[in-house]
Amino acid sequence: ASPMAGVQAQIDSSCVVKSGASDGSKPLTEALLVTALKTAYNNGADVNRIIVTPDNSVVLAGFASAAGRYRTIQGKEAKTIVNVVNLYVSPFGEQKVEINRFLEAGNTFVYEPEQWTNVTLRPWAKKDLAKTGDSTKAQLLGEFSLKHKNYKASALILESA
């Protein structure tokens, strides 16, 4: 098996923003998010995605309660309560917010999808296996991975130091 690094391991250590709490007790803040966006922007990325854990999606929704940042629902029939941030507008552009249950707990990932690509390590091929009676068996073999084109063009926010 080929040793490959996961997404979080492919981010340069200078692009990791830490909350400063050694026990993971300091949650995501807007200041940490803006710092991560600025770090990636300064390194050549036009970040347009923010990936958050389910817990951090709730924290991010709380950012909207700051003074002057709310959504007005028009009309008398409106009975919708909105408590989500699905588009975050920062000094570094607009970022779509996506929730990801597989992101490591407490982490937030900001990136530009165009800075990532799939690479083929071994082309996919079909290999016929031994025949058993009327059954024909086959196996698909191949390898691919994810490549970060610029290790500094993404940022990761960690809730611990």
Side-chain angles (χ1 to χ4, degrees):
S2 302
M4 297 289 137
V7 169
Q8 296 181 54
Q10 291 189 47
I11 297 172
D12 189 81
S13 62
S14 68
C15 299
V16 175
V17 178
K18 299 178 182 177
S19 71
S22 61
D23 61 356
S25 63
K26 187 173 180 185
L28 176 67
T29 64
E30 194 163 8
L32 290 171
L33 180 58
V34 170
T35 299
L37 291 168
K38 179 182 173 189
T39 299
Y41 181 84
N42 286 342
N43 288 316
D46 290 321
V47 174
N48 55 16
R49 295 286 191 287
I50 300 171
I51 307 297
V52 294
T53 60
D55 288 341
N56 279 345
S57 70
V58 175
V59 173
L60 195 68
F63 294 173
S65 65
R69 295 193 289 183
Y70 53 88
R71 186 179 296 177
T72 303
I73 300 171
Q74 300 294 328
K76 295 178 183 178
E77 300 297 320
K79 295 180 182 179
T80 303
I81 296 174
V82 178
N83 187 24
V84 66
V85 173
N86 50 18
L87 181 68
Y88 183 78
V89 180
S90 75
F92 309 102
E94 294 182 356
Q95 294 82 34
K96 181 179 177 185
V97 178
E98 297 174 0
I99 190 170
N100 185 320
R101 68 176 53 93
F102 302 110
L103 188 62
E104 192 171 328
N107 293 352
T108 299
F109 178 49
V110 299
Y111 75 108
E112 176 185 2
E114 291 76 22
Q115 294 292 335
W116 295 83
T117 186
N118 286 323
V119 291
T120 301
L121 304 174
R122 181 171 45 156
W124 292 94
K126 177 184 162 193
K127 181 178 179 183
D128 290 327
L129 300 175
K131 188 170 179 156
T132 307
D134 288 340
S135 174
T136 302
K137 297 179 181 177
Q139 180 180 38
L140 290 176
L141 295 171
E143 266 185 284
F144 67 96
S145 186
L146 188 63
K147 178 182 178 183
H148 200 191
K149 297 177 185 177
N150 177 354
Y151 289 96
K152 292 187 174 191
S154 296
L156 184 64
I157 302 169
L158 303 178
E159 283 189 7
S160 59

